[in-house]
mmCIF file of all heavy atoms in Angstrom:
data_model
loop_
_atom_site.group_PDB
_atom_site.id
_atom_site.type_symbol
_atom_site.label_atom_id
_atom_site.label_comp_id
_atom_site.label_asym_id
_atom_site.label_seq_id
_atom_site.Cartn_x
_atom_site.Cartn_y
_atom_site.Cartn_z
ATOM 1 N N ALA A 27 -54.745 137.029 -106.032
ATOM 2 C CA ALA A 27 -53.892 136.507 -105.094
ATOM 3 C C ALA A 27 -52.487 136.186 -105.477
ATOM 4 O O ALA A 27 -51.479 136.537 -104.684
ATOM 5 C CB ALA A 27 -54.525 135.143 -104.600
ATOM 6 N N ALA A 28 -52.285 135.781 -106.827
ATOM 7 C CA ALA A 28 -50.959 135.503 -107.185
ATOM 8 C C ALA A 28 -50.058 136.806 -107.207
ATOM 9 O O ALA A 28 -48.816 136.684 -107.016
ATOM 10 C CB ALA A 28 -50.978 134.845 -108.610
ATOM 11 N N GLU A 29 -50.687 137.883 -107.463
ATOM 12 C CA GLU A 29 -49.900 139.184 -107.383
ATOM 13 C C GLU A 29 -49.821 139.761 -106.037
ATOM 14 O O GLU A 29 -48.840 140.339 -105.765
ATOM 15 C CB GLU A 29 -50.517 140.172 -108.394
ATOM 16 C CG GLU A 29 -49.783 141.492 -108.528
ATOM 17 C CD GLU A 29 -50.432 142.430 -109.501
ATOM 18 O OE1 GLU A 29 -51.424 142.019 -110.239
ATOM 19 O OE2 GLU A 29 -49.918 143.664 -109.588
ATOM 20 N N LEU A 30 -50.884 139.600 -105.291
ATOM 21 C CA LEU A 30 -51.013 140.212 -104.002
ATOM 22 C C LEU A 30 -49.856 139.594 -103.036
ATOM 23 O O LEU A 30 -49.346 140.345 -102.173
ATOM 24 C CB LEU A 30 -52.365 140.080 -103.327
ATOM 25 C CG LEU A 30 -52.669 140.638 -102.099
ATOM 26 C CD1 LEU A 30 -52.517 142.077 -102.064
ATOM 27 C CD2 LEU A 30 -53.998 140.208 -101.502
ATOM 28 N N TYR A 31 -49.621 138.393 -103.223
ATOM 29 C CA TYR A 31 -48.609 137.719 -102.394
ATOM 30 C C TYR A 31 -47.401 137.386 -103.005
ATOM 31 O O TYR A 31 -46.666 136.386 -102.754
ATOM 32 C CB TYR A 31 -49.324 136.436 -101.812
ATOM 33 C CG TYR A 31 -50.544 136.707 -100.970
ATOM 34 C CD1 TYR A 31 -51.841 136.371 -101.432
ATOM 35 C CD2 TYR A 31 -50.427 137.366 -99.821
ATOM 36 C CE1 TYR A 31 -52.876 136.518 -100.718
ATOM 37 C CE2 TYR A 31 -51.632 137.731 -99.031
ATOM 38 C CZ TYR A 31 -52.824 137.192 -99.434
ATOM 39 O OH TYR A 31 -53.954 137.554 -98.747
ATOM 40 N N ASP A 32 -46.963 138.178 -104.082
ATOM 41 C CA ASP A 32 -45.654 137.833 -104.823
ATOM 42 C C ASP A 32 -44.534 138.702 -104.116
ATOM 43 O O ASP A 32 -44.603 139.286 -103.046
ATOM 44 C CB ASP A 32 -45.878 138.229 -106.213
ATOM 45 C CG ASP A 32 -46.023 139.705 -106.553
ATOM 46 O OD1 ASP A 32 -45.777 140.589 -105.638
ATOM 47 O OD2 ASP A 32 -46.358 140.142 -107.709
ATOM 48 N N GLN A 33 -43.298 138.602 -104.793
ATOM 49 C CA GLN A 33 -42.103 139.098 -104.288
ATOM 50 C C GLN A 33 -42.141 140.627 -104.013
ATOM 51 O O GLN A 33 -41.426 141.196 -103.223
ATOM 52 C CB GLN A 33 -40.952 138.823 -105.117
ATOM 53 C CG GLN A 33 -40.512 137.248 -105.102
ATOM 54 C CD GLN A 33 -39.316 137.055 -105.912
ATOM 55 O OE1 GLN A 33 -39.133 137.627 -107.070
ATOM 56 N NE2 GLN A 33 -38.381 136.209 -105.384
ATOM 57 N N ARG A 34 -43.108 141.357 -104.791
ATOM 58 C CA ARG A 34 -43.182 142.796 -104.618
ATOM 59 C C ARG A 34 -43.888 143.192 -103.394
ATOM 60 O O ARG A 34 -43.929 144.379 -103.096
ATOM 61 C CB ARG A 34 -43.845 143.338 -105.880
ATOM 62 C CG ARG A 34 -43.080 143.238 -107.205
ATOM 63 C CD ARG A 34 -43.829 143.696 -108.350
ATOM 64 N NE ARG A 34 -44.972 142.826 -108.643
ATOM 65 C CZ ARG A 34 -45.889 143.052 -109.626
ATOM 66 N NH1 ARG A 34 -45.833 144.130 -110.337
ATOM 67 N NH2 ARG A 34 -46.931 142.272 -109.727
ATOM 68 N N HIS A 35 -44.516 142.195 -102.701
ATOM 69 C CA HIS A 35 -45.274 142.611 -101.535
ATOM 70 C C HIS A 35 -44.752 141.833 -100.287
ATOM 71 O O HIS A 35 -45.610 141.205 -99.569
ATOM 72 C CB HIS A 35 -46.799 142.332 -101.726
ATOM 73 C CG HIS A 35 -47.333 143.091 -102.793
ATOM 74 N ND1 HIS A 35 -47.628 142.610 -104.056
ATOM 75 C CD2 HIS A 35 -47.832 144.368 -102.821
ATOM 76 C CE1 HIS A 35 -48.111 143.599 -104.892
ATOM 77 N NE2 HIS A 35 -48.241 144.701 -104.169
ATOM 78 N N MET A 36 -43.456 141.777 -100.160
ATOM 79 C CA MET A 36 -42.835 140.968 -99.063
ATOM 80 C C MET A 36 -43.255 141.560 -97.626
ATOM 81 O O MET A 36 -43.113 140.806 -96.724
ATOM 82 C CB MET A 36 -41.367 140.955 -99.241
ATOM 83 C CG MET A 36 -40.808 140.111 -100.379
ATOM 84 S SD MET A 36 -41.148 138.273 -100.234
ATOM 85 C CE MET A 36 -39.970 137.873 -98.765
ATOM 86 N N ARG A 37 -43.606 142.747 -97.645
ATOM 87 C CA ARG A 37 -43.930 143.444 -96.413
ATOM 88 C C ARG A 37 -45.463 143.556 -96.129
ATOM 89 O O ARG A 37 -45.904 144.104 -95.279
ATOM 90 C CB ARG A 37 -43.345 144.858 -96.147
ATOM 91 C CG ARG A 37 -41.758 144.813 -96.210
ATOM 92 C CD ARG A 37 -41.284 146.128 -95.761
ATOM 93 N NE ARG A 37 -41.813 146.712 -94.563
ATOM 94 C CZ ARG A 37 -41.364 146.345 -93.302
ATOM 95 N NH1 ARG A 37 -40.462 145.451 -93.121
ATOM 96 N NH2 ARG A 37 -41.947 146.870 -92.305
ATOM 97 N N GLY A 38 -46.114 142.891 -97.061
ATOM 98 C CA GLY A 38 -47.588 143.021 -96.920
ATOM 99 C C GLY A 38 -48.105 144.307 -97.570
ATOM 100 O O GLY A 38 -47.372 145.017 -98.238
ATOM 101 N N THR A 39 -49.362 144.760 -97.384
ATOM 102 C CA THR A 39 -49.963 145.903 -97.948
ATOM 103 C C THR A 39 -50.630 146.785 -96.894
ATOM 104 O O THR A 39 -51.111 147.887 -97.287
ATOM 105 C CB THR A 39 -50.956 145.566 -99.084
ATOM 106 O OG1 THR A 39 -51.997 144.892 -98.404
ATOM 107 C CG2 THR A 39 -50.406 144.696 -100.091
ATOM 108 N N LEU A 40 -50.614 146.383 -95.667
ATOM 109 C CA LEU A 40 -51.283 147.195 -94.609
ATOM 110 C C LEU A 40 -50.574 148.547 -94.439
ATOM 111 O O LEU A 40 -49.312 148.569 -94.401
ATOM 112 C CB LEU A 40 -51.191 146.413 -93.275
ATOM 113 C CG LEU A 40 -51.931 147.093 -92.139
ATOM 114 C CD1 LEU A 40 -53.489 147.128 -92.318
ATOM 115 C CD2 LEU A 40 -51.646 146.481 -90.708
ATOM 116 N N LEU A 41 -51.358 149.562 -94.531
ATOM 117 C CA LEU A 41 -50.893 150.897 -94.340
ATOM 118 C C LEU A 41 -51.708 151.709 -93.447
ATOM 119 O O LEU A 41 -52.957 151.555 -93.383
ATOM 120 C CB LEU A 41 -50.657 151.695 -95.796
ATOM 121 C CG LEU A 41 -49.671 151.151 -96.656
ATOM 122 C CD1 LEU A 41 -49.880 151.726 -98.086
ATOM 123 C CD2 LEU A 41 -48.218 151.419 -96.158
ATOM 124 N N ALA A 42 -51.135 152.795 -92.822
ATOM 125 C CA ALA A 42 -51.884 153.760 -91.982
ATOM 126 C C ALA A 42 -51.957 155.187 -92.875
ATOM 127 O O ALA A 42 -50.870 155.420 -93.466
ATOM 128 C CB ALA A 42 -51.237 153.929 -90.691
ATOM 129 N N TYR A 43 -53.009 155.786 -92.874
ATOM 130 C CA TYR A 43 -53.160 157.039 -93.715
ATOM 131 C C TYR A 43 -53.529 158.186 -92.684
ATOM 132 O O TYR A 43 -54.480 158.017 -91.993
ATOM 133 C CB TYR A 43 -54.135 156.890 -94.724
ATOM 134 C CG TYR A 43 -53.779 156.189 -95.992
ATOM 135 C CD1 TYR A 43 -53.908 154.848 -96.063
ATOM 136 C CD2 TYR A 43 -53.236 156.776 -97.025
ATOM 137 C CE1 TYR A 43 -53.573 154.067 -97.161
ATOM 138 C CE2 TYR A 43 -52.833 156.154 -98.216
ATOM 139 C CZ TYR A 43 -52.927 154.791 -98.121
ATOM 140 O OH TYR A 43 -52.484 154.140 -99.278
ATOM 141 N N SER A 44 -52.639 159.180 -92.789
ATOM 142 C CA SER A 44 -52.909 160.395 -92.063
ATOM 143 C C SER A 44 -52.393 161.646 -92.702
ATOM 144 O O SER A 44 -51.226 161.496 -93.162
ATOM 145 C CB SER A 44 -52.290 160.255 -90.639
ATOM 146 O OG SER A 44 -52.582 161.445 -89.845
ATOM 147 N N GLU A 45 -53.209 162.658 -92.843
ATOM 148 C CA GLU A 45 -52.844 163.942 -93.472
ATOM 149 C C GLU A 45 -52.283 163.568 -94.932
ATOM 150 O O GLU A 45 -51.237 164.153 -95.327
ATOM 151 C CB GLU A 45 -51.901 164.635 -92.681
ATOM 152 C CG GLU A 45 -52.470 165.159 -91.338
ATOM 153 C CD GLU A 45 -51.486 165.860 -90.461
ATOM 154 O OE1 GLU A 45 -50.299 165.872 -90.834
ATOM 155 O OE2 GLU A 45 -51.964 166.392 -89.421
ATOM 156 N N HIS A 46 -52.963 162.624 -95.654
ATOM 157 C CA HIS A 46 -52.650 162.332 -97.050
ATOM 158 C C HIS A 46 -51.242 161.767 -97.134
ATOM 159 O O HIS A 46 -50.613 161.734 -98.242
ATOM 160 C CB HIS A 46 -52.720 163.518 -97.990
ATOM 161 C CG HIS A 46 -54.145 163.990 -98.162
ATOM 162 N ND1 HIS A 46 -55.021 163.425 -98.973
ATOM 163 C CD2 HIS A 46 -54.839 164.938 -97.443
ATOM 164 C CE1 HIS A 46 -56.230 164.028 -98.895
ATOM 165 N NE2 HIS A 46 -56.119 164.934 -97.897
ATOM 166 N N ARG A 47 -50.850 161.103 -96.064
ATOM 167 C CA ARG A 47 -49.417 160.401 -95.980
ATOM 168 C C ARG A 47 -49.693 158.865 -95.673
ATOM 169 O O ARG A 47 -50.427 158.697 -94.646
ATOM 170 C CB ARG A 47 -48.444 160.973 -95.128
ATOM 171 C CG ARG A 47 -47.975 162.378 -95.524
ATOM 172 C CD ARG A 47 -46.814 162.958 -94.691
ATOM 173 N NE ARG A 47 -47.120 162.851 -93.314
ATOM 174 C CZ ARG A 47 -46.510 162.025 -92.456
ATOM 175 N NH1 ARG A 47 -45.640 161.087 -92.861
ATOM 176 N NH2 ARG A 47 -46.862 162.041 -91.223
ATOM 177 N N ALA A 48 -49.014 158.037 -96.271
ATOM 178 C CA ALA A 48 -49.116 156.610 -95.988
ATOM 179 C C ALA A 48 -47.853 156.156 -95.103
ATOM 180 O O ALA A 48 -46.731 156.613 -95.457
ATOM 181 C CB ALA A 48 -49.287 155.793 -97.225
ATOM 182 N N THR A 49 -48.086 155.488 -94.038
ATOM 183 C CA THR A 49 -46.970 155.028 -93.286
ATOM 184 C C THR A 49 -47.202 153.559 -92.834
ATOM 185 O O THR A 49 -48.346 153.062 -93.003
ATOM 186 C CB THR A 49 -46.714 155.845 -92.026
ATOM 187 O OG1 THR A 49 -47.760 155.654 -91.086
ATOM 188 C CG2 THR A 49 -46.764 157.371 -92.427
ATOM 189 N N GLU A 50 -46.245 152.980 -92.207
ATOM 190 C CA GLU A 50 -46.411 151.729 -91.603
ATOM 191 C C GLU A 50 -46.372 151.837 -90.078
ATOM 192 O O GLU A 50 -46.263 150.852 -89.298
ATOM 193 C CB GLU A 50 -45.195 150.729 -91.993
ATOM 194 C CG GLU A 50 -45.257 150.408 -93.469
ATOM 195 C CD GLU A 50 -44.182 149.380 -93.856
ATOM 196 O OE1 GLU A 50 -43.308 149.096 -92.994
ATOM 197 O OE2 GLU A 50 -44.272 148.860 -95.045
ATOM 198 N N ASP A 51 -46.782 153.005 -89.599
ATOM 199 C CA ASP A 51 -46.884 153.209 -88.153
ATOM 200 C C ASP A 51 -48.273 152.831 -87.687
ATOM 201 O O ASP A 51 -49.103 153.683 -87.142
ATOM 202 C CB ASP A 51 -46.619 154.727 -87.805
ATOM 203 C CG ASP A 51 -45.187 155.080 -88.131
ATOM 204 O OD1 ASP A 51 -44.278 154.208 -88.055
ATOM 205 O OD2 ASP A 51 -45.021 156.177 -88.526
ATOM 206 N N PHE A 52 -48.635 151.484 -87.880
ATOM 207 C CA PHE A 52 -50.033 151.092 -87.575
ATOM 208 C C PHE A 52 -50.417 151.356 -86.101
ATOM 209 O O PHE A 52 -51.605 151.557 -85.831
ATOM 210 C CB PHE A 52 -50.117 149.633 -87.838
ATOM 211 C CG PHE A 52 -49.448 149.085 -89.077
ATOM 212 C CD1 PHE A 52 -48.492 148.025 -88.914
ATOM 213 C CD2 PHE A 52 -49.619 149.661 -90.294
ATOM 214 C CE1 PHE A 52 -47.808 147.523 -90.044
ATOM 215 C CE2 PHE A 52 -48.949 149.256 -91.382
ATOM 216 C CZ PHE A 52 -48.051 148.149 -91.260
ATOM 217 N N LEU A 53 -49.567 151.204 -85.241
ATOM 218 C CA LEU A 53 -49.941 151.283 -83.705
ATOM 219 C C LEU A 53 -50.015 152.735 -83.078
ATOM 220 O O LEU A 53 -50.252 152.763 -81.975
ATOM 221 C CB LEU A 53 -48.994 150.397 -82.979
ATOM 222 C CG LEU A 53 -48.844 148.959 -83.472
ATOM 223 C CD1 LEU A 53 -48.043 148.115 -82.542
ATOM 224 C CD2 LEU A 53 -50.259 148.281 -83.611
ATOM 225 N N GLU A 54 -49.621 153.678 -83.933
ATOM 226 C CA GLU A 54 -49.584 155.027 -83.408
ATOM 227 C C GLU A 54 -51.049 155.603 -83.495
ATOM 228 O O GLU A 54 -51.727 155.330 -84.334
ATOM 229 C CB GLU A 54 -48.666 155.929 -84.255
ATOM 230 C CG GLU A 54 -47.151 155.481 -84.294
ATOM 231 C CD GLU A 54 -46.681 155.540 -82.786
ATOM 232 O OE1 GLU A 54 -46.873 156.566 -82.064
ATOM 233 O OE2 GLU A 54 -45.951 154.592 -82.397
ATOM 234 N N ARG A 55 -51.365 156.361 -82.538
ATOM 235 C CA ARG A 55 -52.536 157.168 -82.419
ATOM 236 C C ARG A 55 -53.888 156.286 -82.720
ATOM 237 O O ARG A 55 -54.594 156.523 -83.728
ATOM 238 C CB ARG A 55 -52.455 158.392 -83.250
ATOM 239 C CG ARG A 55 -51.303 159.296 -82.950
ATOM 240 C CD ARG A 55 -51.340 160.580 -83.727
ATOM 241 N NE ARG A 55 -51.012 160.335 -85.159
ATOM 242 C CZ ARG A 55 -51.803 160.616 -86.138
ATOM 243 N NH1 ARG A 55 -52.940 161.139 -85.943
ATOM 244 N NH2 ARG A 55 -51.483 160.293 -87.342
ATOM 245 N N PRO A 56 -54.075 155.343 -82.052
ATOM 246 C CA PRO A 56 -55.282 154.400 -82.272
ATOM 247 C C PRO A 56 -56.581 155.269 -82.388
ATOM 248 O O PRO A 56 -56.904 156.142 -81.571
ATOM 249 C CB PRO A 56 -55.364 153.490 -81.085
ATOM 250 C CG PRO A 56 -53.976 153.430 -80.524
ATOM 251 C CD PRO A 56 -53.465 154.784 -80.729
ATOM 252 N N GLY A 57 -57.340 154.991 -83.564
ATOM 253 C CA GLY A 57 -58.611 155.708 -83.799
ATOM 254 C C GLY A 57 -58.446 157.056 -84.445
ATOM 255 O O GLY A 57 -59.383 157.728 -84.778
ATOM 256 N N GLU A 58 -57.184 157.479 -84.655
ATOM 257 C CA GLU A 58 -56.973 158.725 -85.119
ATOM 258 C C GLU A 58 -56.344 158.729 -86.626
ATOM 259 O O GLU A 58 -56.095 159.835 -87.229
ATOM 260 C CB GLU A 58 -55.904 159.603 -84.330
ATOM 261 C CG GLU A 58 -56.488 159.870 -82.914
ATOM 262 C CD GLU A 58 -57.616 160.778 -82.964
ATOM 263 O OE1 GLU A 58 -57.723 161.645 -83.842
ATOM 264 O OE2 GLU A 58 -58.553 160.612 -82.073
ATOM 265 N N GLN A 59 -56.227 157.611 -87.114
ATOM 266 C CA GLN A 59 -55.771 157.401 -88.472
ATOM 267 C C GLN A 59 -56.412 156.206 -89.234
ATOM 268 O O GLN A 59 -56.827 155.298 -88.485
ATOM 269 C CB GLN A 59 -54.138 157.256 -88.618
ATOM 270 C CG GLN A 59 -53.652 156.161 -87.765
ATOM 271 C CD GLN A 59 -52.117 156.070 -87.825
ATOM 272 O OE1 GLN A 59 -51.496 156.733 -88.557
ATOM 273 N NE2 GLN A 59 -51.520 155.128 -87.130
ATOM 274 N N ASP A 60 -56.449 156.307 -90.522
ATOM 275 C CA ASP A 60 -57.116 155.173 -91.193
ATOM 276 C C ASP A 60 -56.181 153.995 -91.368
ATOM 277 O O ASP A 60 -54.898 154.279 -91.537
ATOM 278 C CB ASP A 60 -57.425 155.719 -92.676
ATOM 279 C CG ASP A 60 -58.395 154.757 -93.378
ATOM 280 O OD1 ASP A 60 -59.136 153.893 -92.773
ATOM 281 O OD2 ASP A 60 -58.429 154.849 -94.698
ATOM 282 N N LEU A 61 -56.642 152.847 -91.454
ATOM 283 C CA LEU A 61 -55.816 151.611 -91.625
ATOM 284 C C LEU A 61 -56.531 150.829 -92.816
ATOM 285 O O LEU A 61 -57.699 150.588 -92.751
ATOM 286 C CB LEU A 61 -55.827 150.805 -90.465
ATOM 287 C CG LEU A 61 -55.320 151.378 -89.089
ATOM 288 C CD1 LEU A 61 -55.646 150.540 -87.876
ATOM 289 C CD2 LEU A 61 -53.839 151.631 -89.271
ATOM 290 N N THR A 62 -55.735 150.439 -93.757
ATOM 291 C CA THR A 62 -56.282 149.682 -94.942
ATOM 292 C C THR A 62 -55.254 148.710 -95.366
ATOM 293 O O THR A 62 -54.051 148.688 -95.163
ATOM 294 C CB THR A 62 -56.495 150.690 -96.138
ATOM 295 O OG1 THR A 62 -55.235 151.101 -96.680
ATOM 296 C CG2 THR A 62 -57.255 151.922 -95.661
ATOM 297 N N ALA A 63 -55.756 147.611 -96.102
ATOM 298 C CA ALA A 63 -54.985 146.638 -96.702
ATOM 299 C C ALA A 63 -55.585 146.296 -98.010
ATOM 300 O O ALA A 63 -56.813 146.321 -98.130
ATOM 301 C CB ALA A 63 -54.897 145.313 -95.795
ATOM 302 N N HIS A 64 -54.795 145.961 -99.088
ATOM 303 C CA HIS A 64 -55.287 145.669 -100.363
ATOM 304 C C HIS A 64 -56.278 144.567 -100.385
ATOM 305 O O HIS A 64 -56.159 143.552 -99.670
ATOM 306 C CB HIS A 64 -54.099 145.444 -101.326
ATOM 307 C CG HIS A 64 -53.396 146.579 -101.785
ATOM 308 N ND1 HIS A 64 -53.230 147.622 -100.980
ATOM 309 C CD2 HIS A 64 -52.764 146.860 -102.984
ATOM 310 C CE1 HIS A 64 -52.461 148.597 -101.661
ATOM 311 N NE2 HIS A 64 -52.346 148.080 -102.879
ATOM 312 N N VAL A 65 -57.222 144.554 -101.274
ATOM 313 C CA VAL A 65 -58.232 143.603 -101.374
ATOM 314 C C VAL A 65 -57.754 142.426 -102.333
ATOM 315 O O VAL A 65 -57.114 142.727 -103.183
ATOM 316 C CB VAL A 65 -59.500 144.166 -102.051
ATOM 317 C CG1 VAL A 65 -60.531 143.152 -102.304
ATOM 318 C CG2 VAL A 65 -60.113 145.184 -101.046
ATOM 319 N N ASN A 66 -58.098 141.152 -101.905
ATOM 320 C CA ASN A 66 -57.741 139.987 -102.697
ATOM 321 C C ASN A 66 -58.922 139.638 -103.476
ATOM 322 O O ASN A 66 -59.892 138.982 -102.995
ATOM 323 C CB ASN A 66 -57.414 138.855 -101.705
ATOM 324 C CG ASN A 66 -57.074 137.640 -102.473
ATOM 325 O OD1 ASN A 66 -57.125 137.546 -103.659
ATOM 326 N ND2 ASN A 66 -56.819 136.574 -101.681
ATOM 327 N N PHE A 67 -58.988 139.903 -104.830
ATOM 328 C CA PHE A 67 -60.129 139.533 -105.637
ATOM 329 C C PHE A 67 -60.294 138.137 -105.926
ATOM 330 O O PHE A 67 -61.359 137.724 -106.224
ATOM 331 C CB PHE A 67 -59.993 140.408 -106.971
ATOM 332 C CG PHE A 67 -60.097 141.878 -106.840
ATOM 333 C CD1 PHE A 67 -58.997 142.676 -107.171
ATOM 334 C CD2 PHE A 67 -61.181 142.550 -106.322
ATOM 335 C CE1 PHE A 67 -59.117 144.026 -106.872
ATOM 336 C CE2 PHE A 67 -61.257 143.839 -106.092
ATOM 337 C CZ PHE A 67 -60.101 144.612 -106.358
ATOM 338 N N THR A 68 -59.243 137.317 -105.882
ATOM 339 C CA THR A 68 -59.309 135.942 -106.041
ATOM 340 C C THR A 68 -60.057 135.382 -104.954
ATOM 341 O O THR A 68 -60.929 134.421 -105.107
ATOM 342 C CB THR A 68 -57.894 135.258 -106.108
ATOM 343 O OG1 THR A 68 -57.143 135.877 -107.133
ATOM 344 C CG2 THR A 68 -57.938 133.717 -106.317
ATOM 345 N N GLY A 69 -59.856 135.876 -103.758
ATOM 346 C CA GLY A 69 -60.592 135.426 -102.533
ATOM 347 C C GLY A 69 -62.023 135.800 -102.620
ATOM 348 O O GLY A 69 -62.848 134.893 -102.295
ATOM 349 N N LEU A 70 -62.424 136.902 -103.085
ATOM 350 C CA LEU A 70 -63.767 137.241 -103.311
ATOM 351 C C LEU A 70 -64.441 136.393 -104.339
ATOM 352 O O LEU A 70 -65.658 135.938 -104.123
ATOM 353 C CB LEU A 70 -63.928 138.745 -103.777
ATOM 354 C CG LEU A 70 -63.435 139.793 -102.947
ATOM 355 C CD1 LEU A 70 -63.825 141.208 -103.505
ATOM 356 C CD2 LEU A 70 -64.062 139.725 -101.422
ATOM 357 N N ASP A 71 -63.675 135.921 -105.374
ATOM 358 C CA ASP A 71 -64.236 135.107 -106.262
ATOM 359 C C ASP A 71 -64.544 133.668 -105.719
ATOM 360 O O ASP A 71 -65.478 133.117 -105.856
ATOM 361 C CB ASP A 71 -63.094 134.847 -107.493
ATOM 362 C CG ASP A 71 -63.695 134.140 -108.685
ATOM 363 O OD1 ASP A 71 -64.878 133.825 -108.777
ATOM 364 O OD2 ASP A 71 -62.885 134.054 -109.731
#
């Protein structure tokens, strides 16, 4: 958590994946691209 929410992640980590490209166009083409966000291992702990 301390790294996930630090200054290097001011925009968060949510990304859309399409054709091996990552973008922040989360709302484009619903259901046609993958959406992922980094896992918080402290939270799992």
